[in-house]
Amino acid sequence: MLDATLKSKLDESINTAMSRLRKASKSLEELAEYVPAKRVRLVRRKARFEPLGRVWRLGVFLLSEEGSLWAVGETTRAVDPGHPGYQSISQEQRRAYRAAAFAGPFVRGQTINFAATELNLSIGSHLPAQSPLLIRDGEARVSWRPGVAWDEAPAFARYFEERVDLVIQGRTGFTG
């Protein structure tokens, strides 16, 4: 559970990161919600992405322009999906995501983040069980992969600062 002292520390890390990223003029990625295809009465609606805002990718986190923190979900790009290859179900699902992003209101080639989980950082809140942000005894750490032990998890402030440095240096492998 988040207490006032820990919330203050998290807010400070987030505000510092936002300031540094804005000052460095680092590009943002899109955050969207995937809406699967469905039939409404006799009309079939195509799958689509509904924009939720813009974010910086910081390792296992997404940081919105407004300062909200999200756990990374899935990504795709707004590129021509190509023709069906029928190689595997997962490949066809990725192609369907690209098709929905390509048809959406996004700049061609833009990275789209979806299936992300917003992390509620208000006092007294509890984080989802699969959250990469770990809280214990007034301390925040980052589970950068499933199964990381508490003592192996880096401190949130240090992890966040390192990720911001990587984005500013352009060494992330993503569009940031």
Side-chain angles (χ1 to χ4, degrees), residues 75-153:
T75 61
T76 191
R77 287 195 180 265
V79 296
D80 186 351
H83 299 288
Y86 303 111
Q87 297 294 319
S88 69
I89 293 172
S90 63
Q91 182 180 8
E92 288 306 306
Q93 182 61 58
R94 288 189 304 274
R95 193 182 79 69
Y97 290 145
R98 286 191 308 274
F102 190 70
F106 306 110
V107 173
R108 298 296 183 241
Q110 180 69 45
T111 300
I112 316 302
N113 295 280
F114 64 102
T117 305
E118 186 171 11
L119 303 176
N120 181 357
L121 299 181
S122 58
I123 295 173
S125 66
H126 292 279
L127 297 169
Q130 297 301 316
S131 171
L133 182 60
L134 306 174
I135 304 293
R136 184 192 297 171
D137 299 329
E139 186 179 356
R141 294 193 178 197
V142 178
S143 174
W144 48 273
R145 65 174 169 75
V148 170
W150 175 260
D151 57 339
E152 295 174 1

Side-chain angles (χ1 to χ4, degrees), residues 63-86:
L63 177 61
S64 78
E65 290 180 292
E66 297 78 33
S68 60
L69 193 64
W70 297 70
V72 166
E74 296 187 53
T75 61
T76 191
R77 287 195 180 265
V79 296
D80 186 351
H83 299 288
Y86 303 111

Side-chain angles (χ1 to χ4, degrees), residues 77 170-176:
R77 287 195 180 265
R171 297 174 45 196
T172 61
F174 294 95
T175 61

Side-chain angles (χ1 to χ4, degrees), residues 16-30:
T16 300
M18 288 172 43
S19 174
R20 291 183 64 208
L21 291 164
R22 284 187 180 126
K23 184 177 179 183
S25 299
K26 286 308 180 182
S27 61
L28 294 141
E29 298 176 353
E30 298 290 336

Side-chain angles (χ1 to χ4, degrees), residues 1-78:
M1 177 172 21
L2 251 57
D3 63 18
T5 304
L6 182 55
K7 178 171 177 20
S8 175
K9 290 177 185 177
L10 293 172
D11 287 346
E12 181 180 338
S13 291
I14 288 169
N15 291 332
T16 300
M18 288 172 43
S19 174
R20 291 183 64 208
L21 291 164
R22 284 187 180 126
K23 184 177 179 183
S25 299
K26 286 308 180 182
S27 61
L28 294 141
E29 298 176 353
E30 298 290 336
L31 178 63
E33 178 182 0
Y34 179 72
V35 180
K38 66 179 179 179
R39 187 175 298 277
V40 177
R41 299 185 190 242
L42 297 176
V43 179
R44 185 173 180 338
R45 304 214 188 253
K46 290 184 178 182
R48 67 186 190 285
F49 281 102
E50 291 186 4
L52 298 175
R54 297 178 53 87
V55 294
W56 290 283
R57 174 185 292 275
L58 301 170
V60 296
F61 298 107
L62 301 172
L63 177 61
S64 78
E65 290 180 292
E66 297 78 33
S68 60
L69 193 64
W70 297 70
V72 166
E74 296 187 53
T75 61
T76 191
R77 287 195 180 265

